[in-house]
Amino acid sequence: MRVYAPYLGQRYPRVVNFISFEPTVAGNKERSQSELATSIHTPGVEGLDFFSSNELNSLPSDDSTPAGVRSPDGKTLSVFIRTERFPDGAEPIVRLRFDRDQPYEVEMATFASPASARIVSSVLSATMGNFGLLKRLHLTNGETTAADLWDETDRLDRLDFLPWRIIPAGKISRDDKGRYSVRASSGQTRDELVYHPSVAKHWHYVGKPASHTWKTEGTPVLAVNARRTYWRSNAPIPGGTTIENFELRTDFVPGQRFWFRIDPDA
């Protein structure tokens, strides 16, 4: 699911981040990933098809895009997004809600279709921290940097990711509504952004620097992984190790709400 932030000075179709649907069904240790699973509609191409509707358990009857449902006061707009069925039988659904008073934020609530295999975890993962050069996590005990979390002894996996780091709820801040809230930011100035010639132009950050924040009402753990090179390349990331996937993990509860926001840095 693509995230745009034109208020950062990024022109369409520039995407600032992606949200991947990553459910785990009962009896499986591994979770699925909507961005890497193969669609039955496009064999050989990674990424499941997404569908939108105005109601939880209904689908549009044609290729039209639903208009969404506005609240009576006109302040919010809601729409449901679901994936095609995962190979493991998962059929997650996410309700998006946009609030006129929170223009930098989207609320996401996780559900499962009646036909889904039993989902025990339904992670929403922000998957492209490398583009925003996210190197700092803001926790209850202060800033933690990517350099604090990973060092040269950490081994890369087969896709060149550094290992997951799990941070417990006790180290995650709470906002004024009692929600767990964790922010990731860059900390790099434009003067420090020197890209190696091998870095593809689409990885060059444009627009205002920004912070990416997850919130939830549940009791989560924070999970982050990282990279030293850009996705599927040997091109080095400016400043070294950078957070890539950024997510809050909880047990699956239908209707569990998460908020994702991107704020321009002051």
Side-chain angles (χ1 to χ4, degrees):
M1 190 164 58
R2 299 176 184 181
V3 180
Y4 300 94
Y7 49 87
L8 297 177
Q10 297 171 353
R11 294 184 178 181
Y12 183 85
R14 175 67 259 171
V15 174
V16 69
N17 212 325
F18 289 88
I19 306 296
S20 177
F21 294 11
E22 305 195 357
T24 303
V25 302
N28 282 8
K29 292 183 178 180
E30 299 295 326
R31 73 188 193 196
S32 298
Q33 296 173 285
S34 61
E35 64 175 332
L36 296 181
T38 300
S39 171
I40 62 171
H41 303 291
T42 52
V45 178
E46 291 179 339
L48 297 185
D49 281 3
F50 282 25
F51 307 92
S52 55
S53 63
N54 287 338
E55 298 177 358
L56 177 58
N57 289 318
S58 68
L59 289 175
S61 58
D62 55 30
D63 291 333
S64 62
T65 301
V69 177
R70 295 179 66 180
S71 61
D73 62 7
K75 289 182 62 177
T76 66
L77 178 72
S78 299
V79 66
F80 291 89
I81 308 295
R82 64 186 293 166
T83 69
E84 64 178 282
R85 189 177 181 87
F86 280 86
D88 63 7
E91 294 185 16
I93 302 173
V94 175
R95 184 193 65 212
L96 306 181
R97 179 170 289 158
F98 302 90
D99 188 327
R100 187 174 63 194
D101 293 336
Q102 299 292 338
Y104 299 159
E105 181 175 280
V106 59
E107 176 192 299
M108 297 179 237
T110 53
F111 300 88
S113 83
S116 176
R118 184 165 72 87
I119 293 175
V120 295
S121 173
S122 191
V123 173
L124 298 170
S125 185
T127 65
M128 201 173 71
N130 286 179
F131 174 67
L133 299 167
L134 302 182
K135 298 182 184 293
R136 301 186 299 180
L137 291 173
H138 300 264
L139 304 171
T140 54
N141 58 348
E143 288 183 9
T144 296
T145 68
D148 297 327
L149 294 172
W150 296 276
D151 60 34
E152 294 303 318
T153 65
D154 289 308
R155 299 181 64 181
L156 303 175
D157 69 12
R158 63 185 181 83
L159 295 176
D160 292 331
F161 284 94
L162 287 160
W164 287 100
R165 297 292 186 244
I166 307 299
I167 297 168
K171 294 186 177 181
I172 304 173
S173 300
R174 308 287 283 269
D175 69 9
D176 57 2
K177 297 181 180 179
R179 300 175 296 188
Y180 286 92
S181 177
V182 60
R183 180 168 64 97
S185 65
S186 171
Q188 285 190 288
T189 67
R190 288 188 178 276
D191 292 341
E192 295 172 319
L193 287 184
V194 179
Y195 288 91
H196 189 272
S198 62
V199 177
K201 289 296 182 183
H202 64 262
W203 283 116
H204 288 222
Y205 188 80
V206 295
K208 301 173 184 176
S211 295
H212 299 215
T213 300
W214 275 115
K215 300 181 181 183
T216 188
E217 295 171 319
T219 302
V221 296
L222 168 65
V224 288
N225 64 16
R227 297 183 64 86
R228 298 186 181 115
T229 58
Y230 286 106
W231 172 245
R232 288 180 173 168
S233 80
N234 293 318
I237 300 169
T241 303
T242 304
I243 294 166
E244 179 71 316
N245 288 69
F246 170 45
E247 59 196 45
L248 291 177
R249 299 178 181 176
T250 65
D251 293 336
F252 174 64
V253 177
Q256 174 70 59
R257 294 191 295 174
F258 300 83
W259 289 262
F260 186 68
R261 61 182 297 126
I262 296 180
D263 293 274
D265 284 343

